[in-house]
Amino acid sequence: QAFFCLLLCIPWGCSCPPSCQCTERAGAKAVLCSSRHLEEIPKDIPRDVVFLKLDANSITRIPSNAFRHLSHLEEINLSRNAIEKIDRAAFKGVAAGLRSLDLSSNRIRSIPKEALLALSAKLRLANNPWHCECALQEVLWEARLDPDSVQDITCHTAPREEYVGKPLLQVLDAGVNLCSVRQRTMDVAMFITMFGWFAMVIVYVVCYVRHNREDSCKHGDYLRPLPSTQAHAE
């Protein structure tokens, strides 16, 4: 019996997650963790896994180096979770070999461009409550998106109300540059800040001058009733 268990463990390194099913697809290792009520990415995934399905769970975050030890990964399916946060180094270590990454149907509003731009994988980002901003525009321009899902990347919120509810690609095709919108916003904020400091300096100078003038008047009023030196001599 011990020998039989050993034979079962050898192909998987005795590390198949207990909540998942480990199998093979076309001779490649696959770990299937779909619909297993997972709240985080399992830490005991076999190192030689090629296909990883984590869809339809309750995962809320992809932390840094979540897949770093899985150098053979080619496909990751994280669709239909509750992902809200993706760390900058979430996919560090798998960038070279990853061919497909599905992040559709989550709760992602924004994503660090550093997390995706290093990937050559085909990305699915549809059906998330995106906040259309410069970083998302850069991802759309530079990343390799699945053409079948690009139209479903919709602006849930945006810098301007007329962009809300529209596909991001449609907004960009209309000539909108979200990066320049952000730059203009920063310029306006800087101008307001500088104007506020300038106004504070002016108010301080005015108060200082007025205070000195009042002190001078008080000093003059104090000296005026005193007899002059000449009158005292007489």
Side-chain angles (χ1 to χ4, degrees):
Q1 186 177 0
F3 179 73
F4 179 71
C5 290
L6 179 62
L7 289 177
L8 288 178
C9 284
I10 287 174
W12 290 102
C14 297
S15 60
C16 187
S19 56
C20 304
Q21 178 186 359
C22 297
T23 182
E24 289 194 8
R25 288 170 48 186
K29 300 296 191 318
V31 176
L32 311 179
C33 308
S34 306
S35 304
R36 300 300 175 98
H37 307 289
L38 299 176
E39 296 183 356
E40 60 181 19
I41 297 169
K43 295 180 173 57
D44 50 355
I45 298 173
R47 291 180 176 272
D48 56 350
V49 62
V50 176
F51 305 104
L52 178 59
K53 289 179 65 66
L54 293 163
D55 54 302
N57 283 293
S58 302
I59 299 170
T60 59
R61 178 191 173 200
I62 307 177
S64 296
N65 302 311
F67 309 100
R68 187 171 186 174
H69 64 293
L70 308 177
S71 57
H72 298 278
L73 262 180
E74 295 183 8
E75 294 184 14
I76 305 176
N77 188 344
L78 284 158
S79 64
R80 296 184 294 148
N81 273 279
I83 298 170
E84 296 181 353
K85 180 174 177 56
I86 299 176
D87 291 358
R88 294 177 184 274
F91 303 104
K92 187 175 182 179
V94 297
L98 198 63
R99 295 188 294 106
S100 175
L101 174 61
D102 193 343
L103 294 169
S104 59
S105 301
N106 278 283
R107 300 175 184 173
I108 307 171
R109 287 178 43 80
S110 62
I111 189 168
K113 62 180 181 180
E114 297 84 357
L116 297 182
L117 293 184
L119 299 177
S120 58
K122 185 180 291 186
L123 301 175
R124 297 183 65 88
L125 304 175
N127 302 317
N128 281 288
W130 291 108
H131 174 64
C132 289
E133 58 180 348
C134 182
L136 183 58
Q137 174 180 308
E138 291 177 343
V139 168
L140 193 65
W141 280 350
E142 300 183 36
R144 185 182 167 214
L145 298 176
D146 186 337
D148 295 333
S149 66
V150 171
Q151 288 294 338
D152 293 323
I153 301 176
T154 304
C155 298
H156 185 74
T157 56
R160 299 179 61 174
E161 188 66 28
E162 59 263 36
Y163 306 153
V164 175
K166 293 183 178 179
L168 177 58
L169 191 62
Q170 179 182 335
V171 173
L172 298 179
D173 284 344
V176 176
N177 188 337
L178 296 172
C179 294
S180 65
V181 169
R182 183 181 69 173
Q183 185 61 45
R184 286 198 300 271
T185 302
M186 292 176 63
D187 291 343
V188 170
M190 183 65 70
F191 174 78
I192 293 174
T193 301
M194 292 178 63
F195 180 80
W197 278 107
F198 182 74
M200 288 176 62
V201 171
I202 294 297
V203 170
Y204 174 79
V205 171
V206 170
C207 291
Y208 180 80
V209 171
R210 182 176 298 174
H211 179 73
N212 285 348
R213 183 178 298 172
E214 290 175 353
D215 286 347
S216 299
C217 292
K218 290 179 181 178
H219 186 66
D221 293 340
Y222 172 76
L223 294 177
R224 192 174 295 115
L226 295 177
S228 65
T229 305
Q230 184 179 0
H232 180 74
E234 292 177 353

